Amino acid sequence: MHAITVSDPHAGLAGLTLTTQPHPHAAENDVIVRVHAAGFTPGELDWPGTWSDRSGRDRTPSIPGHELSGVVTELGYGTTGLTIGQRVFGLCDWSRNGALAEYVAVEARNLAPLPADIDHTVAATLPISGLTAWQGIFEHGRLETGQTVLIHGAAGGVGSIATQLAREAGARVIGTGRPADRETVLDLGADTFLDLDADQLEDAGEVDLVFDVIGGDIRDRSTALVRAGGTLVTIASPPSLQPENGRAVFFVVEADRNRLTDLALRLRDGRLRTILGAVRPLAEAPSAFNSPGRTKGKTIIQVAEGN
Ligand SMILES: NC(=O)c1ccc[n+]([C@@H]2O[C@H](COP(=O)([O-])OP(=O)(O)OC[C@H]3O[C@@H](n4cnc5c(N)ncnc54)[C@H](OP(=O)(O)O)[C@@H]3O)[C@@H](O)[C@H]2O)c1
């Protein structure tokens, strides 16, 4: 089958290459999915699972792209809960091959049924961003109605969903981003927009939760904004600073079939939207992810057409 692979941990995005790979094997409780659409987050290339298996052994060439939407074509030994021909979407295990390929083997429990009226390209924008936003805001951040949350990168994949979820939960939302993101962020439901190029971060005042997707200096300076008992959640990298009287949490998103099902229903009901960017074929994935300049929305690779 055709797939995008990476072999050199130092090559960055330039290492994404179209190759031919063996058809995947369905292990116990796995399904094989014919991939219709797949997403990719550049941060994956820094994660250990891209380069080694769970025993720490080199597993290159590896196939990146760990969120997908597609159709089940095979069941592994003992697999229940999903059926051949079923539309599904979800996350692949970080230390196995991903979905920038025609077929992928995934543990069935990492996938959720996809309603018939959600397009595969839209569904593929949801697993990583949706689960990360939910887990960051509510599970690690413990955000409650009436609290204030500062969401960095609020126009991006994860931040745009976090903004909508936090707003719907009755929190006061301060979204940050580039100057051009103002309208998008306010339109997603943020009460206030903070332009990280022009405004002072400190203007946000004290907040119950900082949800950071950017890291570095912006994350470190945000630590001081966390009020006593509050939390800084970051998905960029482990934080070097802790809030004085609060917690700092870094986490990697986990699969969750029930939450995916809930997010898909929100999407279908119009309570949640994702920002779909360019849709490109598999062979163009290397150029799509290497294109210079800013692109709006999540780039999705369409591997197969149809429903
Ligand atoms: N730990 C986890 O489980 C996990 C899960 C998902 C994602 N991630 C990581 O989280 C990060 C965000 O993911 P994403 O999919 O949301 O990315 P994204 O769609 O690119 O969103 C990031 C947003 O932050 C903005 N931004 C970045 N640096 C900025 C700065 N200095 N000033 C103002 N705005 C800035 C970006 O603007 P521009 O586009 O203009 O730069 C973009 O709007 C990535 O590094 C990804 O690898 C981690």
Side-chain angles (χ1 to χ4, degrees):
M1 65 170 185
H2 291 114
I4 301 297
T5 51
V6 288
S7 297
D8 177 359
H10 306 293
L13 292 170
L16 296 167
T17 311
L18 182 68
T19 60
T20 301
Q21 296 296 316
H23 190 84
H25 165 73
E28 289 89 336
N29 297 326
D30 274 352
V31 291
I32 301 294
V33 178
R34 168 77 168 115
V35 179
H36 280 244
F40 166 75
T41 178
E44 285 178 33
L45 298 186
D46 298 326
W47 295 6
T50 298
W51 307 105
S52 38
D53 64 19
R54 286 187 177 273
S55 310
R57 282 189 215 101
D58 178 84
R59 69 177 195 85
T60 56
S62 68
I63 302 173
H66 282 78
E67 56 191 337
L68 78 150
S69 184
V71 173
V72 175
T73 57
E74 284 174 52
L75 302 180
Y77 184 71
T79 302
T80 59
L82 297 176
T83 52
I84 290 176
Q86 188 167 13
R87 302 173 91 235
V88 291
F89 77 118
L91 283 186
C92 314
D93 189 325
W94 304 114
S95 38
R96 293 177 80 183
N97 278 333
L100 290 179
E102 290 174 296
Y103 294 89
V104 62
V106 190
E107 280 190 80
R109 64 182 174 176
N110 294 351
L111 301 170
L114 178 66
D117 50 0
I118 300 180
D119 193 82
H120 287 295
T121 53
V122 175
T125 63
L126 195 55
I128 292 183
S129 297
L131 290 174
T132 306
W134 183 279
Q135 290 165 14
I137 291 281
F138 299 118
E139 294 178 8
H140 301 292
R142 304 176 191 163
L143 185 70
E144 293 177 7
T145 306
Q147 292 189 329
T148 299
V149 55
L150 175 71
I151 299 176
H152 285 312
V158 179
S160 62
I161 296 185
T163 299
Q164 295 171 78
L165 294 174
R167 176 60 191 255
E168 197 186 22
R172 181 173 157 259
V173 180
I174 305 166
T176 80
R178 312 261 185 208
D181 294 332
R182 179 181 299 273
E183 254 182 58
T184 306
V185 172
L186 294 175
D187 195 41
L188 289 165
D191 298 275
T192 312
F193 177 75
L194 210 73
D195 171 350
L196 288 174
D197 288 353
D199 299 330
Q200 293 298 317
L201 190 52
E202 292 65 28
D203 290 348
E206 278 200 329
V207 300
D208 299 284
L209 173 64
V210 171
F211 183 58
D212 167 62
V213 309
I214 299 175
D217 179 55
I218 289 170
R219 177 195 55 212
D220 291 349
R221 282 169 44 219
S222 305
T223 310
L225 303 176
V226 176
R227 66 168 52 109
T231 309
L232 179 140
V233 172
T234 179
I235 59 167
S237 55
S240 41
L241 300 174
Q242 296 279 327
E244 204 171 292
N245 290 303
R247 301 177 303 133
V249 180
F250 165 74
F251 75 102
V252 172
V253 59
E254 289 183 18
D256 181 338
R257 177 185 283 176
N258 292 337
R259 184 57 53 203
L260 279 177
T261 301
D262 167 69
L263 290 167
L265 291 180
R266 287 166 187 262
L267 199 69
R268 204 176 58 174
D269 295 349
R271 289 156 65 203
L272 184 68
R273 62 191 153 100
T274 62
I275 307 174
L276 175 63
V279 177
R280 307 273 293 271
L282 185 65
E284 291 178 21
S287 58
F289 295 119
N290 276 288
S291 63
R294 202 171 187 233
T295 54
K296 189 172 160 48
K298 176 99 184 167
T299 298
I300 290 298
I301 301 304
Q302 186 169 35
V303 185
E305 303 217 355
N307 212 24

